[in-house]
Amino acid sequence: MVGQRSEREGRRGIRPWIIDVLIGAGVAVTVSVVITANQGGRQEPDPVAYLWAVGLGALMLARRRYPVIVLAVSVLGLFAYYAAGYPAVGLAVPVAAALFSAAELGRLAAATVAAVVVTVVSVVFRLAEGQDFSLVVGYELAGHVLLMGAAIALGDSVRARRAAQADARRIAELTAERYRHEADARLQSERMAIARDLHDSLGHTTSVIALHADVAREALGRDDAAVRSALDLIRSTATSSMADLRRTVALLRSREDARRTVVSLSNLETVTEAATAAGFDVDVEVRVDTDLPSPVEAAAFRIVQEAVTNVVKHSTGSRVQIQVRQDADHLTLAVADDGTGDGTAARAGHGIAGMRERAEALGGTFNAGHRDPGFVVRAALPLAVQS
């Protein structure tokens, strides 16, 4: 709080109470000089007249807290001064600062009413005393009205300028807050993307390793060739997973476009090898005519990878079909197996949710469910990806 207050004071420059003291001193000195001229009046200037001038200046110390009261006291004090018969000091000079202060603090109506009251009372009183109409109305009135109007206009312009500056600061604060929220949203989105990548990559790897570790254990001592094959697949799967993780970490550390993909549909053999090694016949059909946007290709690869992992973990079938096709507007893909429905419920976990999130994040569609026979995953990803 102290730091913020110091920053605000530094931005304002001179402290408000110093400004009020300067305005009050200016009022007292100006009115005192006019009184000293000793023009008109029935009574010579005395200490009371100068004390009145000091009092007008002292009122400026309360102008920010009580602008309307200061204005009213200034007007009544002016009337009392003239009623006492002291030398003329005009109309606008004694009340100009009070009019300015009221307008500056948003009391424009009060300032306008006060100026009208002072003018009307002065004109009526002077005409009632028999002063020349042409002098009072034709010569002096315009100058008094213009000076009081200028004081009010200046105060209102200062108020408007401060309000505009406050609005500009508020807009800047709201803009900065919006940028912070957007940054937080982007960070959260990136975290979700990383979580999905880790789930898909590590989930696929651990499923394959666990499956073939069981194969090696069952074949141990009975079929050395099967053991060696399972161990080789475990090693290659782990190596591929580590390479995938290294590429992901390198991308996260890079200052370049973070939307590049570290996976490609051209590497689907790393996915299909696990299904083949698990005893599935795998049919792969990829029809892609042009380079795909990186987010689309990454999402397609991960969806296929997770779908094949679910087949290896849950399907009782023997065949997997993978189709990836590109048309004018979309990339469509399907992963299906011919197993029975026993494993359908087991697949409705984080894997299905993650695949759906990937598709919908790009504005695409996703559905997965049982068919007769087997289970099928379908997704349609738009090629026009918003940045």
Side-chain angles (χ1 to χ4, degrees):
M1 292 297 293
V2 174
Q4 294 176 352
R5 183 166 59 251
S6 299
E7 181 180 352
R8 289 194 296 268
E9 290 174 354
R11 187 167 54 240
R12 284 197 299 263
I14 303 176
R15 294 184 178 182
W17 68 267
I18 297 178
I19 296 177
D20 294 343
V21 169
L22 293 175
I23 293 176
V27 170
V29 171
T30 301
V31 175
S32 297
V33 170
V34 176
I35 292 174
T36 303
N38 196 16
Q39 297 295 318
R42 303 183 306 273
Q43 184 175 333
E44 293 291 325
D46 59 16
V48 175
Y50 292 105
L51 184 62
W52 173 80
V54 174
L56 283 181
L59 284 174
M60 295 301 101
L61 299 178
R63 71 185 190 94
R64 296 179 187 272
R65 181 170 295 184
Y66 309 108
V68 177
I69 294 177
V70 169
L71 180 60
V73 172
S74 297
V75 171
L76 294 177
L78 178 64
F79 292 160
Y81 175 86
Y82 278 116
Y86 287 115
V89 291
L91 297 178
V93 172
V95 298
L99 292 172
F100 167 82
S101 300
E104 180 192 15
L105 296 169
R107 308 299 193 273
L108 186 61
T112 303
V113 170
V116 171
V117 168
V118 167
T119 303
V120 171
V121 170
S122 174
V123 170
V124 171
F125 181 77
R126 294 178 67 184
L127 292 177
E129 282 190 334
Q131 296 185 26
D132 184 61
F133 179 85
S134 61
L135 174 66
V136 174
V137 177
Y139 180 72
E140 295 183 349
L141 181 61
H144 294 317
V145 171
L146 287 176
L147 186 54
M148 288 189 289
I152 294 173
L154 179 60
D156 189 58
S157 67
V158 171
R159 179 202 60 78
R161 180 174 60 84
R162 287 177 179 170
Q165 290 175 344
D167 289 341
R169 286 194 296 270
R170 180 59 179 163
I171 291 173
E173 292 172 357
L174 291 175
T175 302
E177 185 67 18
R178 187 191 71 184
Y179 287 154
R180 284 194 292 270
H181 285 312
E182 289 177 353
D184 291 341
R186 287 194 298 270
L187 179 60
Q188 182 64 22
S189 177
E190 291 172 0
R191 287 175 176 173
M192 290 296 296
I194 292 172
R196 286 194 296 267
D197 279 342
L198 290 176
H199 174 273
D200 294 347
S201 180
L202 296 180
H204 173 77
T205 301
T206 54
S207 296
V208 172
I209 290 175
L211 175 65
H212 289 282
D214 288 339
V215 171
R217 183 181 58 185
E218 293 176 359
L220 190 63
R222 296 186 295 105
D223 188 347
D224 291 343
V227 172
R228 283 193 297 270
S229 176
L231 292 177
D232 288 341
L233 185 57
I234 289 173
R235 183 179 61 183
S236 64
T237 301
T239 301
S240 175
S241 178
M242 287 302 300
D244 191 5
L245 289 176
R246 281 194 294 268
R247 286 193 298 268
T248 302
V249 172
L251 183 58
L252 291 175
R253 290 176 176 175
S254 173
R255 294 184 179 182
E256 299 178 4
D257 188 357
R259 291 172 296 174
R260 296 178 305 162
T261 179
V262 296
V263 293
S264 171
L265 290 175
S266 62
N267 297 327
L268 279 181
E269 67 274 4
T270 61
V271 175
T272 59
E273 284 177 358
T276 301
F280 288 90
D281 294 328
V282 182
D283 293 333
V284 180
E285 180 185 358
V286 178
R287 296 182 182 178
V288 177
D289 301 326
T290 61
D291 291 337
L292 298 173
S294 296
V296 174
E297 187 165 18
F301 180 90
R302 293 303 187 187
I303 290 173
V304 171
Q305 182 184 56
E306 179 63 23
V308 172
T309 299
N310 283 344
V311 170
V312 173
K313 290 169 62 177
H314 303 296
S315 177
T316 58
S318 61
R319 190 175 190 83
V320 182
Q321 292 179 314
I322 302 173
Q323 292 181 341
V324 181
R325 296 178 180 176
Q326 177 188 1
D327 57 29
D329 301 319
H330 290 80
L331 181 72
T332 59
L333 55 94
V335 178
D337 66 85
D338 60 350
T340 64
D342 297 339
T344 300
R347 303 192 199 190
H350 293 296
I352 296 294
M355 289 187 282
R356 178 174 285 106
E357 288 175 359
R358 286 187 181 277
E360 294 178 351
L362 298 177
T365 59
F366 176 87
N367 61 78
H370 178 68
R371 70 172 187 177
D372 189 18
F375 193 88
V376 62
V377 169
R378 292 189 177 91
L381 309 177
L383 297 179
V385 180
Q386 295 182 355
S387 59

